[in-house]
Amino acid sequence: MWVYDKKLQYPVRVSKCDPMMAKFLLEQYGGADGELAAALRYLNQRYSIPDKVIGLLTDIGTEELVHHSYM
């Protein structure tokens, strides 16, 4: 059984709206160079590559998805 308690390393205090930072975060979440796009590229490429590196691409794609979930 898993007990997952997600805590931030440092406290976060938001005092004002920052549209530029919001634009940056949106690009990192779903933009062309974001973590999700990178993860999907790796996981998609694993289906058209020789058997020896399928596990490597799966591991890299999974790690990219972890980056996306921590943002």
Side-chain angles (χ1 to χ4, degrees):
M1 179 160 154
W2 290 91
V3 177
Y4 183 68
D5 188 18
K6 187 171 183 178
K7 294 180 182 179
L8 297 175
Q9 186 174 2
Y10 302 102
V12 176
R13 293 181 188 86
V14 179
S15 60
K16 64 178 181 166
C17 181
D18 189 354
M20 291 299 289
M21 184 60 150
K23 185 177 178 182
F24 173 74
L25 288 175
L26 282 175
E27 174 65 28
Q28 288 302 306
Y29 272 124
D33 296 326
E35 298 289 342
L36 182 60
L40 293 177
R41 276 193 298 270
Y42 282 117
L43 292 173
N44 190 28
Q45 288 173 358
R46 70 181 290 271
Y47 292 105
S48 61
I49 201 123
D51 290 338
K52 293 181 179 180
V53 289
I54 287 177
L56 178 64
L57 287 176
T58 303
D59 292 346
I60 294 171
T62 305
E63 185 65 29
E64 292 293 333
L65 284 174
V66 171
H67 294 165
H68 180 71
S69 67
Y70 281 115
M71 291 185 80

